[in-house]
Amino acid sequence: MRGLLAALILIGLTVVLLGPAQAQSQAQQEAAQLLAQTQKVYGGVQGMRARYLGSNQPGVMAGPEAKIKEGEGLFIYGRPNLLRMIQERPSQEELVMSPEGVWWYRKDLGEAHRYPASEFYNDMEPYLGPIMDLLSGSADLSKNFTIERLYGGDEKKNRALKMVPHSHASGLDRVRILIDPDGYIVRVRLNFLSGDVTTYDFKDIQLLDHLPEEGFLFFPPEGAEIIHH
């Protein structure tokens, strides 16, 4: 609470001393500098491996019985659009995305779901697209988003950015990013027009100059029911 109050006071003083236009310009410059820092960190890597803690908080439209869903495990990324998420808790699941297709394996049900890449990528774009763009070190984010410094979202030495999409057709309302002093992205929070909020926290981040050893092929375990979509 003290940190938030101090940030609000600082913003207020900045507006008084510099004027609204200059304060906005300074905030935009800081946002550009932060984004450039992350792009420098991630722009030259071929892969990433990290521990993740994910949560999905349903909006009001989901009804009173909807519950917050949480999961944790390994997040494995390969340039430019390869992804492997191995959920370890609360249930064992695995999501593997590549241009050849998408696998979603649920050990509790003994089911391996196979999706065409185009169909699943379109469905998951609002949820994972911004993260994939950030990890690719894309310099074109400003084409699709208005990017602002979010002082009230800072946590200790970690600094926050807000990205607002130019189009809300996908249902995405805004994205909040938390960046540590070294330029590592430690949190991505996606707010949707429905009120749903999906958050990914990352730790033990390893940036790689090669594709991760885990690879992005999936072979259903023996006995799993394969369901094609």
Side-chain angles (χ1 to χ4, degrees), residues 95-157:
L95 176 69
V96 182
M97 299 175 61
S98 74
E100 287 73 33
V102 177
W103 285 100
W104 178 30
Y105 172 62
R106 296 190 57 180
K107 185 176 180 179
D108 58 340
L109 300 179
E111 295 178 349
H113 295 258
R114 174 70 166 173
Y115 296 85
S118 57
E119 175 185 329
F120 201 83
Y121 269 79
N122 288 338
D123 291 342
M124 295 301 294
E125 172 63 26
Y127 296 90
L128 295 173
I131 300 177
M132 302 284 271
D133 288 340
L134 286 164
L135 296 181
S136 71
S138 173
D140 298 329
L141 286 169
S142 59
K143 290 184 177 181
N144 298 317
F145 294 90
T146 298
I147 303 169
E148 305 172 356
R149 183 74 166 86
L150 187 64
Y151 296 100
D154 290 354
E155 294 184 9
K156 298 181 179 179
K157 294 183 178 182

Side-chain angles (χ1 to χ4, degrees), residues 1-18:
M1 180 61 72
R2 288 182 180 177
L4 176 58
L5 181 59
L8 292 174
I9 292 173
L10 178 60
I11 294 169
L13 288 174
T14 302
V15 171
V16 171
L17 295 174
L18 299 179

Side-chain angles (χ1 to χ4, degrees), residues 42-60:
Y42 290 92
V45 305
Q46 292 300 312
M48 185 197 83
R49 184 187 296 109
R51 300 286 308 173
Y52 80 89
L53 175 63
S55 69
N56 176 261
Q57 180 176 339
V60 177

Side-chain angles (χ1 to χ4, degrees), residues 24 28 73 136 148 168 174 194 218:
Q24 183 180 18
Q28 290 174 341
S136 71
E148 305 172 356
H168 297 283
R174 62 189 184 277
S194 63
F218 180 79

Side-chain angles (χ1 to χ4, degrees), residues 164-184:
V164 179
H166 297 159
S167 170
H168 297 283
S170 67
L172 182 64
D173 182 40
R174 62 189 184 277
V175 183
R176 292 187 177 189
I177 311 162
L178 201 60
I179 302 166
D180 77 3
D182 295 322
Y184 286 47

